[in-house]
C-alpha cells in the first residue's frame, strides 16, 4: 500500500509514497494521526507522500518506534 524508494534516498530525508489506487489522501492523514499518537513526527509532502527526517538527536529507539508504527498501520 506504500513504498520507500531506497535508491532515491541520498540524504537524511525519507519519503513514504502511497499507491494511487489506495485513496492516498485519506491514508496520508490516517498514518500521520497514528504517528502523532505514538509521538513520531512526520509531515505531509504532497497529496500522496509522508516525509521523515532523521537527525543526530534521534536514537535507534526512535527510529524503531517509527518503523513499528508504520509496519503496524493498516490502510483498511
Amino acid at each position: 500500500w506504500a513504498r520507500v524508494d531506497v535508491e532515491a534516498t541520498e540524504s537524511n530525508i525519507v519519503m513514504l509514497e502511497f499507491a494511487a489506487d489506495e485513496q492516498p489522501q485519506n491514508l496520508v492523514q490516517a498514518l500521520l494521526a497514528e504517528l502523532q499518537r505514538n509521538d513520531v513526527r512526520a509531515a505531509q509532502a504532497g497529496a500522496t507522500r509522508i516525509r521523515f527526517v532523521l537527525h543526530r538527536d534521534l536514537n535507534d529507539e526512535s527510529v524503531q518506534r517509527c518503523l513499528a508504527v508504520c509496519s503496524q498501520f493498516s490502510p483498511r
Side-chain angles (χ1 to χ4, degrees):
W1 52 269
R3 70 181 186 90
V4 172
D5 186 351
V6 176
E7 298 296 321
T9 304
E10 297 180 1
S11 69
N12 63 327
I13 298 172
V14 177
M15 301 295 261
L16 179 69
E17 179 85 33
F18 289 88
D21 60 340
E22 293 285 344
Q23 299 178 333
Q25 295 84 356
N26 296 339
L27 291 177
V28 167
Q29 294 306 313
L31 181 52
L32 283 172
E34 186 65 20
L35 289 164
Q36 185 176 14
R37 277 191 290 278
N38 287 277
D39 199 28
V40 176
R41 293 183 183 172
Q44 187 166 352
T48 63
R49 284 192 225 159
I50 293 180
R51 177 179 179 256
F52 298 92
V53 179
L54 297 163
H55 58 83
R56 63 186 168 135
D57 294 330
L58 292 175
N59 58 26
D60 290 345
E61 180 183 320
S62 299
V63 174
Q64 290 304 315
R65 185 172 64 247
C66 177
L67 291 171
V69 172
C70 290
S71 295
Q72 294 169 6
F73 177 75
S74 175
R76 296 186 202 332

